[in-house]
Amino acid sequence: MKRLFIVVVLFVLCGVAMAQEKALNIDVKEKVLENGLKILVVERPGVPQVACRLFYNVGSANEVPGITGIAHLCEHMMFKGTRAIGTKDFKKDAEYNEKIDKVVRRMRQLEKDEEGDAQKLEELQEKLDELRAGQKEIMIKDQIWQVYSQNGATGMNAFTARDFTGYIVTVPSNKVELFFWMESDRMANAVFREFYSELSVVKEERRLMENSPTGFFFETFNAVAYDAHPYTHPIVGWMVDLDNMTLAKARKFHDTYYVPNNAVVVLVGDVKADNAFKLAEKYFGRIPRGEDTPPVITAEHPQRYEKRICAEIDTQPLAIISYHVPSVKHRDVYALQVLARVLSGNAGRLYKEIVREQELATSCNCSIMPSKFPGAFTFQGTAKGKHSPEEVEEAIYEIIESIRNEAVPQEDIERGKKQLRAQYIRMLISNEFLSYLLAIGEIVDDWRRLLEAPARFAQVTAQDLVRVAKKYLVKSNRTVGIVTQPRKPAAPYLTVRVGTVPRTPEAEAQVGAMKGFIAQQVPDINVRMDEKNIYIEVGRFDLNDKEAARKRLKEIQEHQMIKMLPSPPKIVTVGAPEEKPDKPEEKEKLKPPADIKPY
């Protein structure tokens, strides 16, 4: 499912001009059912809509080696229906699920056997195809989506993060009961039909990341940064674990974590709290309390030495430096957030000194993502022109050293505080984003701290910034990643080119700034440069794998962001003496969609 954090970021960047003090006066009504489910309601009469959120206190951090990716997979499976939704005949549907599971497990056994019976495998594949066809005849595909949309709901989606899994939808005020019925049914009676077919979809997501040179690098960097804690593995999981995933493992994971006492419901909008609490009791109250979920025991041990990872990738050279920092519950997180804001942005020291004055980089910033468990304070800079990522790295260290030894000017601190305060207030004004923040805040800590944050930021002093810089931004506590371009030309490969821009300093800066946003939407994106141009490309395929390249091209052509580009994407060969579009595909695919007018 789509990751929605980028939407929050865009909202903050766009800004809204509204009364700030009023936004902080938020009356959150809270109720906890006997089974442990917590409900938070903010009454905001006006527009007859309610932003509804159901968040579970489970994410990739709750996984252990052998089942990585299972939280994300369960999120996918929650859209397949329940005992009552998604099938015309539940009994027969359940029989199909069990039979398909047995056939797939038997096929896996034969595939692992070096002397496996090829004929038997072929027979089992035919049996599997027959079972799947039979199940499809009694399925009602995407019925959850249909029921919601037919009742006026919008924005239905879900996402998996390291610390939580969230399910979201906005419903008309008179359809709040539909939300409680639907989500309680999904919690109690989810049916993982088409499990192995959906697993193939998730594995394709895994392949897209592996085919993205920079995507795979950042995964590797993260795995190096964390030695022990589950943050070390990617949300989508490792392929070896996905290859060995079973229906039984997924059901067990769901039954363990998808319980009332491990979830929070948030409603913000035109709704009465008393009515919402009655509906929660009516629908969720009938679900028994689950056993206490297993705690995440393994903690990241203190790092003693700098760790480095170097990679040669056909992309823009960059440096990334990550320092271990405490969880969101620690008081130092507020000072670290102010420090990140002071250093970042067009008015921040990273941009002013490294990008504008020294012209070492096209972009340079830092960030901290508050998390349930100890997280990271990360710097990233993209080298410009002939400059190396090592030069960018050293320039970042010089700024860090100056902060450790000299007080940050008060005017810079006040600017950072005001920006953070404005960010929080803008998000609190919106029903959609307030519901996100309350749900996430409750899962990772306590929703009350959310409303305290602006006051906590205001208390941060120049001495606090020096203190946290000296405590956390030290050599022995960091992991460094350096990406340089290959010394030898890479072997030719196919890719889907979505854009070509003449290479200028301005273009380098713009592409560098946008790359993170684009990567959120298209995970296997890659930015590559030569002497004349900047190329924005998706995927990397062997020369003989034209079918896979054409499949990816077709997927990209349907992406809303790609449809807004002035020229359509095309398949090209990179690394050949002359890069040329893939001829068979060019004739058919280079026509823009009928509903898009060229610039």
Side-chain angles (χ1 to χ4, degrees), residues 334-478:
Y334 297 101
L336 288 164
Q337 288 186 76
V338 172
L339 178 58
R341 185 64 63 167
V342 166
L343 292 174
S344 296
N346 290 344
R349 290 185 62 181
L350 292 171
Y351 180 83
K352 286 196 296 185
E353 296 184 21
I354 299 177
V355 177
R356 195 168 64 195
E357 295 174 7
Q358 300 178 49
E359 296 187 345
L360 297 175
T362 58
S363 63
C364 193
N365 56 65
C366 66
S367 63
I368 174 175
M369 179 66 75
S371 51
K372 185 192 303 184
F373 304 101
F377 190 104
T378 303
F379 294 82
Q380 184 172 328
T382 302
K384 179 180 180 180
K386 300 294 184 180
H387 293 288
S388 69
E390 288 86 356
E391 290 178 85
V392 177
E393 177 190 3
E394 289 302 320
I396 292 173
Y397 293 153
E398 289 178 8
I399 291 177
I400 292 174
E401 191 62 25
S402 68
I403 293 171
R404 286 164 50 84
N405 296 311
E406 303 170 12
V408 175
Q410 191 61 36
E411 60 188 45
D412 289 348
I413 297 175
E414 292 305 317
R415 172 181 56 81
K417 290 179 181 181
K418 288 179 180 178
Q419 289 179 351
L420 279 169
R421 177 182 172 79
Q423 170 182 323
Y424 267 76
I425 290 173
R426 288 165 186 154
M427 296 172 80
L428 297 179
I429 289 171
S430 162
N431 291 353
E432 299 291 334
F433 297 120
L434 173 58
S435 59
Y436 281 125
L437 292 177
L438 288 173
I440 294 171
E442 178 60 28
I443 292 293
V444 302
D445 185 15
D446 184 327
W447 63 266
R448 293 169 185 83
R449 292 184 190 269
L450 173 73
L451 304 183
E452 298 172 0
R456 296 288 188 99
F457 294 139
Q459 295 170 3
V460 173
T461 66
Q463 290 73 28
D464 289 327
L465 301 191
V466 173
R467 179 177 55 79
V468 296
K470 287 183 174 181
K471 184 175 181 180
Y472 302 110
L473 307 187
V474 296
K475 181 177 181 179
S476 61
N477 190 42
R478 73 190 180 208

Side-chain angles (χ1 to χ4, degrees), residues 243-355:
D243 283 339
N244 290 281
M245 196 66 68
T246 64
L247 178 58
K249 290 179 182 178
R251 282 174 171 168
K252 181 179 179 181
F253 191 85
H254 171 274
D255 293 346
T256 299
Y257 292 100
Y258 279 68
V259 291
N261 46 303
N262 198 48
V264 59
V265 170
V266 178
L267 303 182
V268 179
D270 189 20
V271 61
K272 292 293 185 181
D274 290 343
N275 184 50
F277 295 152
K278 289 178 182 177
L279 292 173
E281 190 68 62
K282 178 180 178 181
Y283 291 101
F284 281 101
R286 60 190 175 180
I287 304 174
R289 180 186 180 93
E291 294 184 11
D292 291 341
T293 56
V296 176
I297 297 174
T298 304
E300 188 68 16
H301 54 76
Q303 186 172 318
R304 297 183 182 182
Y305 318 105
E306 177 191 70
K307 293 185 282 189
R308 298 184 70 88
I309 172 175
C310 299
E312 292 185 354
I313 303 174
D314 191 13
T315 189
Q316 289 177 289
L318 63 86
I320 179 170
I321 308 161
S322 189
Y323 297 86
H324 292 287
V325 293
S327 75
V328 70
K329 299 178 182 180
H330 198 286
R331 68 184 182 93
D332 285 349
V333 166
Y334 297 101
L336 288 164
Q337 288 186 76
V338 172
L339 178 58
R341 185 64 63 167
V342 166
L343 292 174
S344 296
N346 290 344
R349 290 185 62 181
L350 292 171
Y351 180 83
K352 286 196 296 185
E353 296 184 21
I354 299 177
V355 177

Side-chain angles (χ1 to χ4, degrees), residues 510-521:
Q510 291 176 354
V511 171
M514 291 178 61
K515 185 180 176 183
F517 165 71
I518 298 173
Q520 290 282 344
Q521 310 297 317

